[in-house]
Amino acid sequence: MGLKKRLLFISVTLFSYLNSNAQNEAKEVRTDTVAYSAENTQKVLEFGEYISSTIHNNDPDAFILKLNDDTFFERILRSSPSLDRNDSFVKDLVLGMKQAMTSFPNEIISEVENGSYYDFISYRYDLSSQTYYALFRMYSAETGMNYHDYRIYKEGDEIQFSDMYVYLSGEHFTETLGRMMTITMPEKKLFGLLESSENKESKELFRALLFNNKGNYVKAYEIMDGLKSDMAKEKFLLIFKALIASHIDEEKYLKSLEELINVHRDDPTIALNKIDYHIYKEEYFEAIQVINQLQNETEDDFLNYIKACVAFEDQNYDLALNFFKYTSENYPDFFEGQAGYLNTLVLMNNYPEAVEYLDFLVDEGYEKSSLIEYIVEDDEYGENILEAFSKSKDFKTWKKKKEKK
């Protein structure tokens, strides 16, 4: 929750264009399927653990070995039938993109090194696509929640991936890249399928992408906000506009979210955006309803932590306490859950139980000095919701108490 959200791989898209100087899934690649079997299920589970290890061991080369780039780029071209794949410009663009794709695991690794969590949480067999998907969760307190759903491909006996559904963008990665290729191509190379006004605005979009990549979010937003053609109403571009706005201020971010939701109100793929919108509008009941829908889809019990945060903001402390307790018990290495439980006890004025919980945390291996520092220091905004507790007799007594040896 909060501002400064990022849609990973945008910089990869940009990099590929610079190197080359330049809804529902589209047609399925019918060879891009994997049969359901106990053997394949086991291999998908091993794939999930493998991808996790490459990220946490800072091994992008090992990660890229699992990308079947031939099928991946075939899916891009099939998602954009207006592209002439035999054209030399298109071939150069694809070549530049292939070179750039080797950098995208570094974006995930960088996020993890900066405090994000990236975890393999589940798999499923999708009957309509006739293949497996492996679901990963990315979360950080700063940039919020996203999911990457890897589409599984089988090359001989080896399990790879041929695409990735990105929850924050509401579409497969190949669809995003295919669209970006289309709107940045010269009009004469697109079989005349783009209207001239859209072709003109595609150049403006490309400028916005460059400004975003350089960190000039105000200029990027001004360009995006000035687009008027039907292209400007596409879901991905409205999501991208909201992501840019999240780097500027709350007012622009909320305005962009409202535009996205008004244009694509019944689209089930914008759940993450709707959650943020309801929280910023202080519509906490509605936010939890959307989180419940997302939890039904992903079967991710970590979303109980997000519900705890929403309930906490709503000052529904009984509900928040239950969800924080679940999180702390099921994710013992996730301090945010334990901190949320402690904070809630304090705001419920339950100081004796808060002190007991501090003893529990010490027994679990937390340093008492670190817990004291957490309680008495202001946060990054110069605030401390635990200030009254830090001055209480209960806390001062606990602070002086000698630790067990």
Side-chain angles (χ1 to χ4, degrees), residues 67-102:
L67 171 65
N68 190 290
D69 56 359
D70 288 340
T71 307
F72 180 81
F73 286 100
E74 176 65 20
R75 290 178 64 80
I76 292 176
L77 294 171
R78 289 207 178 200
S79 73
S80 304
S82 58
L83 293 172
D84 181 0
R85 64 177 66 202
N86 294 317
D87 183 87
S88 59
F89 189 93
V90 175
K91 290 181 179 179
D92 288 342
L93 196 60
V94 170
L95 179 61
M97 195 176 290
K98 284 186 176 182
Q99 294 170 347
M101 284 299 297
T102 59

Side-chain angles (χ1 to χ4, degrees), residues 123-137:
Y123 76 92
R124 64 187 170 87
Y125 190 82
D126 190 89
L127 291 175
S128 62
S129 301
Q130 297 178 36
T131 192
Y132 289 86
Y133 277 82
L135 185 65
F136 282 72
R137 178 208 318 117

Side-chain angles (χ1 to χ4, degrees), residues 17 82-83 176-186 190 194 198-206 209 231 234 236-237:
Y17 293 145
S82 58
L83 293 172
T176 302
L177 293 178
R179 178 184 297 102
M180 291 300 180
M181 287 180 66
T182 299
I183 62 181
T184 54
M185 287 285 289
L190 292 171
L194 283 183
E198 290 189 348
N199 184 254
K200 181 180 179 181
E201 288 202 344
S202 70
K203 297 176 182 178
E204 289 297 293
L205 172 61
F206 188 67
L209 289 168
M231 181 184 71
E234 288 191 11
F236 174 78
L237 296 183

